[in-house]
């Protein structure tokens, strides 16, 4: 196995648990390597850092899989996926969960979402792609699933020299399935839905609205398949309106409302949330609760400012539409806007909206997406509920 020696200055980061090694952090490679090879990595002083896969064509040249001198083989992947499942079960997830959250489960660039008996996989680097068969075998052995599907239609794969694709990794199956969450049911379109089909990362946060929506008129923007809005109706809201720019999402949201027999309370419409918040605000429309769960707004560092401007605008407009003493439920899902910046942005929005805000709850992504301290981008979702009062 080829040995790789690291620069001195990166020791603390790697020693604290960060598994990425950039190509300018390698001191020397003692031997030859092919893309995807497993290599043994050493700190500058000759101490073992671990083993991982290498891709000389990628900016992140090595991603560590283990800190031990252990074999990386099919048995390794079986063991890691079993451990990831045991951890989810320990935390109380029984049916649906992010089974593997990449780096946070010691399996860099691997995502596995478990929708009860169905599994959706993403292999986002060349090094992990090589082990796809072993990973699928492990899922088959551990879970005896009804179906496995790969949602590798993700642009980031191209940085690793991989094609974008989606396909069955099991016998074909009907890819629109129904899952249960918090006593409700939701259609998940594994093949055509966004990302892996469903946002499991908000599943704990959806429960957090239970007490603030009772008897309320609720507006939800960026609703996708209507999960927050249907929860609001289930928890006793008087009326709920969900907005999404995607006709497909709205069609799916309406189906979900009907599936739960809540379509007399919750309605969905395909509209641009920016226009809705602006125009309805001007018209003086008011709600007791406004919920916002926008997409990332930025994919790279250079446009963080643009993202922050977007967050500020929708939150400011949202707050203005809230009846005195009502609530704002607001999220941000990009790791490029850190929690402090997000909370500052909400504060600035309140200031400009001439509102006082009182925090009800602040949460991150659900705990099946663990946060690795020292690896900032594993802490990506911010979820905040505030009470909004006139000044
Ligand atoms: N709350 C959802 C996830 C929302 S994802 C859940 O928990 O499942 C973000 C959504 O915002 C996507 O469905 C996308 O179609 C929608 N979106 C993006 N830009 C929009 C815009 N300008 N107006 C309304 N919706 C938009």
């Amino acid at each position: 196995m080829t040995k790789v020696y690291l620069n001195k200055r990166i020791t603390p980061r790697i020693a604290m648990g960060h598994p990425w090694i950039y190509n300018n952090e390698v001191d020397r490679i003692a031997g030859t390597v092919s893309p995807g090879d497993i290599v043994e990595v050493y700190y500058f002083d000759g101490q073992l850092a671990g083993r991982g896969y290498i891709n000389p064509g990628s900016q992140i040249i090595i991603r560590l899989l283990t800190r031990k001198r252990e074999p990386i083989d099919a048995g390794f992947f079986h063991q890691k996926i079993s451990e990831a499942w045991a951890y989810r079960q320990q935390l109380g997830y029984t049916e649906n969960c992010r089974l593997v959250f990449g780096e946070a489960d010691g399996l860099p660039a691997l995502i596995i979402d478990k929708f009860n008996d169905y599994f959706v996989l993403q292999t986002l680097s060349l090094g992990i792609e090589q082990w796809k068969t072993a990973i699928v075998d492990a899922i088959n052995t551990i879970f005896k699933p009804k179906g496995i599907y790969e949602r590798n239609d993700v642009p980031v794969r191209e940085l690793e020299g991989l094609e974008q694709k989606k396909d069955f990794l099991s016998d074909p199956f009907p890819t629109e399935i129904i899952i249960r969450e918090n006593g409700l049911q939701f259609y998940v379109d594994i093949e055509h839905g966004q990302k892996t089909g469903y946002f499991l990362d908000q599943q704990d946060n959806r429960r957090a609205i239970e007490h603030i929506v009772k008897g309320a008129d609720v507006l939800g923007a960026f609703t996708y398949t209507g999960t927050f809005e249907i929860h609001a109706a289930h928890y006793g809201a008087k009326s709920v309106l969900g907005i999404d720019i995607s006709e497909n999402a709205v069609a799916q949201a309406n189906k979900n409302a009907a599936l739960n027999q809540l379509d007399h309370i919750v309605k969905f419409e395909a509209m641009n949330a920016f226009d809705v918040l602006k125009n309805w605000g001007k018209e003086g429309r008011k709600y007791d609760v406004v919920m916002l769960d926008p997409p990332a707004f930025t994919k790279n560092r250079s446009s963080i400012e643009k993202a922050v401007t977007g967050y500020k605008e929708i939150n400011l407009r949202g707050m203005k539409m809230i009846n005195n003493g009502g609530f704002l439920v607001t999220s941000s899902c990009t790791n490029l806007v850190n929690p402090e910046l997000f909370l500052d942005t909400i504060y600035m929005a309140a200031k400009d909206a001439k509102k006082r805000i009182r925090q009800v709850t602040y949460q991150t992504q659900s705990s099946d997406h663990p946060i690795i301290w020292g690896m900032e981008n594993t802490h990506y979702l911010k979820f905040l509920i505030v009470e909004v009062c006139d000044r």
Side-chain angles (χ1 to χ4, degrees), residues 72-108:
I72 307 295
D73 52 17
F76 172 85
F77 286 92
H78 184 280
Q79 179 64 26
K80 294 297 269 192
I81 293 168
S82 302
E83 285 169 14
W85 177 223
Y87 185 66
R88 301 318 186 265
Q89 289 175 294
Q90 185 180 9
L91 298 181
Y93 298 96
T94 51
E95 292 184 358
N96 318 311
C97 60
R98 176 145 294 187
L99 173 65
V100 172
F101 182 44
E103 282 70 359
D105 285 293
L107 292 168

Side-chain angles (χ1 to χ4, degrees), residues 244-296:
D244 200 281
I245 202 161
S246 152
E247 301 268 0
N248 265 345
V250 166
Q252 200 81 3
N254 278 319
K255 265 175 77 175
N256 279 331
L259 181 65
N260 291 286
Q261 281 124 39
L262 289 167
D263 43 342
H264 55 296
I265 297 171
V266 54
K267 309 275 178 220
F268 295 97
E269 284 182 48
M271 281 187 278
N272 185 331
F274 281 89
D275 297 341
V276 163
L277 292 168
K278 193 167 156 188
N279 299 336
W280 294 5
K282 276 191 193 144
E283 287 169 22
R285 287 210 210 180
K286 293 280 184 185
Y287 292 88
D288 302 308
V289 177
V290 171
M291 307 192 289
L292 307 171
D293 185 13

Side-chain angles (χ1 to χ4, degrees), residues 194 199 206 222-224 227 244-245 271-274 293 295:
Q194 296 183 24
F199 292 94
R206 294 184 189 110
F222 310 96
T223 171
Y224 186 42
T227 55
D244 200 281
I245 202 161
M271 281 187 278
N272 185 331
F274 281 89
D293 185 13

Side-chain angles (χ1 to χ4, degrees), residues 181-182 184 186 206 209 227-235:
E181 181 184 288
N182 303 325
L184 293 161
F186 296 99
R206 294 184 189 110
I209 65 168
T227 55
F228 271 101
E229 291 68 20
I230 290 163
H231 274 76
H234 174 64
Y235 291 139

Side-chain angles (χ1 to χ4, degrees), residues 353-380:
K354 299 198 167 42
K355 301 284 183 182
R356 274 184 289 117
I357 53 178
R358 181 160 76 164
Q359 181 170 325
V360 179
T361 187
Y362 174 73
Q363 299 179 177
T364 65
Q365 67 253 24
S366 54
S367 42
D368 53 345
H369 298 57
I371 294 169
I372 295 295
W373 284 39
M375 188 167 194
E376 271 180 20
N377 61 357
T378 58
H379 183 169
Y380 70 99

Side-chain angles (χ1 to χ4, degrees), residues 184-211:
L184 293 161
Q185 291 190 302
F186 296 99
Y187 286 102
V188 176
D189 187 338
I190 286 174
E191 187 178 357
H192 303 107
Q194 296 183 24
K195 305 276 171 77
T196 59
Y198 190 79
F199 292 94
L200 288 168
D201 53 4
Q202 291 275 30
Q203 61 176 320
D204 295 352
N205 297 336
R206 294 184 189 110
R207 271 197 304 277
I209 65 168
E210 177 173 358
H211 301 289

